[in-house]
Structure formats: structure tokens, C-alpha cells
Amino acid sequence: MTDFATRRVMMVDTQIRPSDVTKFPIIDAMLAVPREAYVPRAMREMAYMSENVAISPNRVVLEPRTLAKLLDTLNIQPTESVLDVGCGLGYSCAVIARLAEAVVGLEEDEALASEAQRTLSTEGVDNAAVIVGALTGGAAKHGPYDVITVQGGVETVPQALLDQLKEGGRIGCLFMEGPLGVARIGYKVDGAVTWRPTFNASAPVLPGFETKRDFAL
């Protein structure tokens, strides 16, 4: 039988801590949440590798380092609400739920959303709920949010998501430029979002988050 608990410790010691992620709540969450429960059964042996885990076409569970560094920069507080866009099978929701007061996971793939909610419930995560809807549309009914995370690459961020961010809130996105990307944190001040680059990473661009390009003959 695979010792996933030992692999979690190794993940934190070899991928998370060396990446300058030092906030105890994030370390504790990464140690506590069974990542293998939130990936496809056939991919469980890959759950703790230092790479994205594919869950469907152009959809991944972000590599542990990327998620941890994004959360470290966002600095989620215990009183805050979070919208987790593209939550997939729910791993990011489970980790964020240990940092925030409440998490809304948004997923447009009904099969992924159903599996995510089932796993979260099985694992006793009672402050996170997964809803089905277009990723680009957000979840205004449950907002506005203190923090928004996007679990995949983006080229552009829909205004609908930015509108659901509270004044003084933060949004974390991985902006892709070809095969390379840079994580940026957006801060909403006086109704406008200002972006700051943080670290390099890579992930497939989520459907609907591509930049529209004009084609000329």
C-alpha cells in the first residue's frame, strides 16, 4: 500500500519549504489535505510529484509549489471569503478551506463539480461548496469576495470576476505568454485592479480566458 502521508511530508519538505513558503497555516494545510483524494484514481501515484496533474483536456491540478506560492502571496485570513475559479476535483478548495472562513468553488464541468463536492463532503470539509457555472462568469450570487483564485492559466481576466472582488481584495492568476507564465496578484483599490508579478509557473490556459486575436488576410 502506498504511504501517501509520507509523500505529503516529502512534498512539503522538498517542494514547498524550499520555495520560500513559510506561513504555518499553508504548510499545515498542505500537510493535512490528502492530495491523492482529489486527483483521478488512475493518477494517484502522481499526486505528489512536482508537476501539474491532468484531470481533463486543458485542465490540471496545479503543482503543489504553484498553489502554495500563490496562497502565500495572497495571504488569506481566517475571516475572509474566497472564490476558487476552476476548482476541478476540489483540492484547491480543500486547502483554501483551512485558511479562509468560507470557500466557493466554481466549476463548469458538471462531472468534475459533482466529484469535487462528494470528495469534500467525504473528507469533512464543511466550509467549502462547489457550484456549477461558467468560469468566466464567476459566482456573483455568493459574492463579493475578499480573495479570488484561478486554478489554471489565463491570458486575460474577465471583468465579471474583477467586479466580484471586494474593495481592498486580492485576486491571484497565472498569466501565460506561450509556454511560460508569471503569477500576478491583483489588488482592488478605488474600484480598479492593479497587478504585481510574483513568481514564474506554467499551466494550460482555461477555456474562455484566452485573449481574442484579430486575424488579417
Side-chain angles (χ1 to χ4, degrees):
M1 180 178 293
T2 300
D3 186 351
F4 287 118
T6 297
R7 291 192 184 187
R8 270 197 300 283
V9 173
M10 290 180 61
M11 174 190 74
V12 169
D13 288 345
T14 63
Q15 300 177 47
I16 308 304
R17 294 185 196 273
S19 299
D20 295 325
V21 177
T22 58
K23 292 184 176 67
F24 178 77
I26 297 173
I27 297 293
D28 182 63
M30 302 294 276
L31 285 170
V33 176
R35 186 173 165 91
E36 74 278 4
Y38 297 92
V39 302
R41 185 170 296 274
M43 307 291 285
R44 287 188 173 182
E45 289 297 321
M46 298 178 59
Y48 294 98
M49 297 180 68
S50 57
E51 59 186 58
N52 298 327
V53 177
I55 55 176
S56 68
N58 293 320
R59 299 295 305 281
V60 299
V61 180
L62 291 177
E63 67 169 315
R65 168 191 173 273
T66 301
L67 178 62
K69 286 184 71 66
L70 191 67
L71 297 180
D72 187 66
T73 310
L74 286 167
N75 195 27
I76 298 168
Q77 298 300 302
T79 57
E80 293 184 319
S81 62
V82 179
L83 174 63
D84 190 31
V85 178
C87 66
L89 289 170
Y91 176 69
S92 51
C93 281
V95 174
I96 294 168
R98 299 181 69 90
L99 310 175
E101 181 174 40
V103 185
V104 175
L106 178 63
E107 182 50 62
E108 61 187 17
D109 184 313
E110 292 188 15
L112 291 179
S114 177
E115 182 66 21
Q117 187 61 68
R118 183 162 49 248
T119 305
L120 288 166
S121 297
T122 299
E123 294 295 326
V125 183
D126 58 7
N127 63 331
V130 179
I131 64 173
V132 178
L135 302 185
T136 55
K141 178 180 177 181
H142 303 282
Y145 304 92
D146 298 289
V147 177
I148 297 176
T149 61
V150 180
Q151 300 297 323
V154 307
E155 293 177 340
T156 186
V157 180
Q159 186 62 42
L161 290 184
L162 302 179
D163 289 344
Q164 292 168 36
L165 193 62
K166 288 182 181 178
E167 179 69 16
R170 293 93 67 207
I171 179 170
C173 299
L174 178 54
F175 284 83
M176 297 301 299
E177 298 177 1
L180 303 176
V182 58
R184 294 189 176 102
I185 305 300
Y187 300 86
K188 192 168 191 177
V189 179
D190 294 332
V193 174
T194 301
W195 296 93
R196 298 178 188 172
T198 54
F199 63 93
N200 296 322
S202 181
V205 175
L206 292 173
F209 290 78
E210 309 93 340
T211 299
K212 291 189 170 102
R213 295 173 175 83
D214 295 325
F215 293 92
L217 296 176

